[in-house]
Amino acid sequence: MLDVKRMQVLRAVAASGSVTAAAAHLGYTPSAVSQQVAALERDTGVELLERVGRGVRPTAAGRLLIGHAAIISQHVAEAETALADLRAGRTGRLKVHYFASVGPTLLAPALARLRDEHPGVTVDPKLTEPQDSLPDVEQGNGDLAIVVRRPNDEGRPGIRLVRLLDDAYQAVLPAGHPLAAQQVVDLADLAGEPWVGSEPPGPCLEPIVDACAAAGFSPNFVARSEDYATGQGFVAAGLGVSLIPRLGLGTRHPGVTIRPVRRPEPIRTIYAAVREISLVQPALRALIDALMDATKEWNVGVPGSGRDMADPAAASHLR
């Protein structure tokens, strides 16, 4: 295999016209330059330089190698520039996995800010279920995933979880329901009601089931929907009551009443999941910062949401 460094030495000798001049340019001794050229000639099996007066010039084989050395040097320079741009966050591509209710509320404003701060970075958002995207990040098939995990989840080896939001579930009641007259609904008061399920099995359903168990009952699901708009429609039609997280209530059905829940309050915790090794990317760090700020801004616009502010320690987790 040809030695690229030796090819560049040959190129310097040909450009300088002599071994001595090339050595001065490269900061080597003339003997070291001669040894590099001699080693390259042994590797190729042909003479690469010929003497002309007090100097040297490349042979046909030497000119061929010098041409390729110039191309290699150009490619290396381009690679160095591209790497510097990537390292500085001027270019690159980020694959982001998200689930439906965080798309318009958190991800959209975060991506808009990232575009302004890093216009050369391409973002590829992919809609997935909250429980499905973490393995993609672990396997390198995604750079960031917005996921639902249990509070204070420490994640997995090599994965950093940045806590974004504690998203409280709200009681969704048919208009005119007796409990709609209350400002806050005790979860136990829903024990005897028929329920409309709004979550598939997984991390978003677990907080509901766990909270109901703590209140002393298991919900009686008479209808199920895996999207919040249809769930509200079922409730408005009088099929039952439901619990839907605040992020899922951006568009409210006119036929339902929304009330906070207590004793206990079911909460799903939303994180940004990234690989530890990827946190050196400025664009990825900027996206996490933008997600955290989008969470704070969204909370400001939601009445009674001060307790759900993004984790103030999350930013320190990126250091």
Side-chain angles (χ1 to χ4, degrees):
M1 181 176 293
L2 295 176
D3 187 299
V4 174
K5 181 179 178 181
R6 291 169 181 168
M7 291 173 63
Q8 297 300 338
V9 170
L10 173 67
R11 184 183 175 205
V13 172
S16 301
S18 74
V19 170
T20 301
H25 175 72
L26 296 173
Y28 295 165
T29 65
S31 175
V33 170
S34 296
Q35 290 175 13
Q36 291 288 318
V37 173
L40 186 58
E41 288 180 329
R42 288 196 299 272
D43 292 341
T44 59
V46 294
E47 291 187 0
L48 302 174
L49 294 173
E50 60 181 344
R51 291 196 172 277
V52 179
R54 301 180 65 180
V56 293
R57 67 183 178 192
T59 64
R63 290 193 298 273
L64 184 147
L65 280 188
I66 290 167
H68 284 285
I71 294 172
I72 292 172
S73 181
Q74 178 182 349
H75 287 176
V76 169
E78 290 172 355
E80 289 174 342
T81 300
L83 184 59
D85 287 341
L86 180 65
R87 192 165 50 235
R90 292 187 290 269
T91 61
R93 176 181 292 272
L94 295 177
K95 295 182 179 180
V96 178
H97 296 250
Y98 70 101
F99 55 93
S101 57
V102 300
T105 50
L106 304 185
L107 184 60
L111 293 184
R113 177 171 138 182
L114 182 70
R115 180 189 58 195
D116 292 340
E117 295 179 354
H118 297 269
V121 175
T122 300
V123 179
D124 181 14
K126 180 181 179 182
L127 181 64
T128 59
E129 293 297 331
Q131 67 270 26
D132 294 340
S133 53
L134 188 55
D136 287 323
V137 172
E138 289 181 305
Q139 296 163 14
N141 297 322
D143 296 292
L144 181 146
I146 302 177
V147 299
V148 175
R149 309 287 290 179
R150 291 187 177 276
N152 303 316
D153 193 327
E154 296 182 355
R156 306 178 187 179
I159 298 295
R160 182 77 60 89
L161 292 178
V162 180
R163 191 168 180 167
L164 297 177
L165 176 70
D166 288 335
D167 191 17
Y169 282 85
Q170 309 276 279
V172 182
L173 310 170
H177 190 283
L179 293 174
Q182 301 181 15
Q183 293 301 308
V184 182
V185 174
D186 286 348
L187 187 57
D189 291 341
L190 301 177
E193 300 284 342
W195 280 59
V196 172
S198 62
E199 304 285 9
C204 292
L205 180 59
E206 290 170 1
I208 296 175
V209 174
D210 291 347
C212 290
F217 72 98
S218 179
N220 176 28
F221 292 109
V222 299
R224 293 184 181 273
S225 169
E226 295 186 6
D227 72 273
Y228 300 133
T230 302
Q232 291 187 64
F234 285 173
V235 172
L239 298 183
V241 301
S242 186
L243 292 183
I244 295 179
R246 287 187 302 111
L247 277 177
L249 292 170
T251 301
R252 301 193 179 188
H253 194 289
V256 303
T257 299
I258 310 297
R259 291 290 182 264
V261 179
R262 65 183 178 185
R263 298 176 182 169
E265 180 185 47
I267 293 174
R268 65 175 186 176
T269 303
I270 298 173
Y271 294 87
V274 296
R275 293 188 305 282
E276 295 272 4
I277 196 172
S278 299
L279 285 172
V280 297
Q281 301 179 48
L284 184 58
R285 294 168 66 93
L287 177 57
I288 294 172
D289 288 341
L291 283 168
M292 293 175 62
D293 287 344
T295 299
K296 294 174 183 176
E297 292 174 8
W298 179 81
N299 269 303
V300 168
V302 178
S305 62
R307 68 189 183 285
D308 295 332
M309 293 294 286
D311 184 355
S316 66
H317 295 168
L318 299 182
R319 296 178 187 143

